Amino acid sequence: MAAEVSPDDLPAREGPCVLGVDLGGSRSMSAAAFYWPETGRLEALGTFPATPSLADRGASDGVSDRYCQMQERGELSVMGEATVPPGPWLAQIVKHLSGITPDCIVGDRFRHAEFTEAMQAAGLARVPFIWRGFGWKDGSEDIERFRRALFDGDVKAAPSMLLRFAFSDAITLVDPAGNQKLAKARSLGRIDAAAATVLAVAQGARMKAAPIRKATALWV
């Protein structure tokens, strides 16, 4: 919540945009996070399949009408029947950018085939895709980069129920070597938006830290 600012104080959509994606299954939410590392602006959206309804999902997950409230706020949508179709969903998500093409998309390497098909269906085949794992190796680096960006004030988001509850349901597991990975605090928790956000912000931090290549003169 320390990253939340009023909508009037939200930084502009300037510079490269990183799209972090967490594809869901039949019971899971599909979530996307948009991050502009130059300004720190963060936006997030989630989508559930239509069956069961959002009201029924809220009841079974023990969160009452939370999902219905998120839908009313424009943070959560419904697509598909039993599952969210990756291709049409990704195309819809990109429309949220109002013509901006993401500089890169970051997602789970274990969903390689689904992501490839979804990007082709959404007309994003030319956008670079960066594969990340949710295990100890990639997860630990991404979590640490996300935390650093958050503590340094490099993440700014409008108040979001989706993000608030995603991060309230998220914990990190630590192995004996001190590596961390993202996990649910409770079995019915929905941390998909948190996972997408960590991916997007961590990649944005890597882009900011990358040295700028200076042009060199070519003598002929």
Side-chain angles (χ1 to χ4, degrees):
M1 291 178 64
E4 290 186 353
V5 298
S6 69
D8 293 337
D9 295 330
L10 196 62
R13 289 176 164 183
E14 294 179 351
C17 174
V18 181
L19 173 55
V21 177
D22 185 16
L23 285 181
S26 59
R27 290 287 302 174
S28 300
M29 176 192 299
S30 289
F34 311 89
Y35 182 60
W36 287 262
E38 288 188 6
T39 64
R41 180 175 178 134
L42 172 69
E43 301 174 17
L45 297 173
T47 305
F48 272 127
T51 305
S53 67
L54 292 182
D56 290 341
R57 283 183 187 274
S60 63
D61 287 353
V63 296
S64 187
D65 64 343
R66 182 187 300 175
Y67 300 143
C68 295
Q69 291 183 48
M70 291 180 186
Q71 185 182 40
E72 292 172 359
R73 293 165 60 95
E75 302 166 1
L76 185 63
S77 61
V78 173
M79 176 180 282
E81 290 300 323
T83 63
V84 176
W89 175 73
L90 194 56
Q92 175 182 284
I93 288 299
V94 172
K95 287 181 180 178
H96 175 73
L97 292 173
S98 303
I100 298 174
T101 300
D103 278 54
C104 63
I105 300 176
V106 193
D108 187 357
R109 66 164 53 94
F110 292 107
R111 309 292 290 272
H112 180 281
E114 289 178 86
F115 271 121
T116 301
E117 294 169 359
M119 290 178 65
Q120 290 176 345
L124 298 171
R126 294 179 180 272
V127 178
F129 199 102
I130 299 171
W131 307 108
R132 302 295 292 175
F134 284 127
W136 301 109
K137 183 179 182 296
D138 290 349
S140 190
E141 179 195 335
D142 290 346
I143 288 170
E144 184 56 35
R145 286 186 181 274
F146 170 75
R147 283 177 170 163
R148 190 179 299 122
L150 192 64
F151 295 153
D152 288 345
D154 293 333
V155 182
K156 302 292 183 183
S160 167
M161 283 186 67
L162 177 68
L163 288 176
R164 284 185 184 183
F165 287 109
F167 278 100
S168 69
D169 278 335
I171 59 172
T172 55
L173 301 179
V174 185
D175 73 359
N179 298 308
Q180 301 179 67
K181 67 177 179 179
L182 204 62
K184 296 180 180 180
R186 61 189 186 93
S187 60
L188 296 176
R190 304 289 185 178
I191 66 170
D192 311 88
T197 298
V198 169
L199 290 174
V201 174
Q203 177 58 28
R206 278 188 290 271
M207 291 166 61
K208 287 184 67 176
I212 299 176
R213 295 182 178 180
K214 296 182 179 179
T216 57
L218 180 63
W219 298 96
V220 292

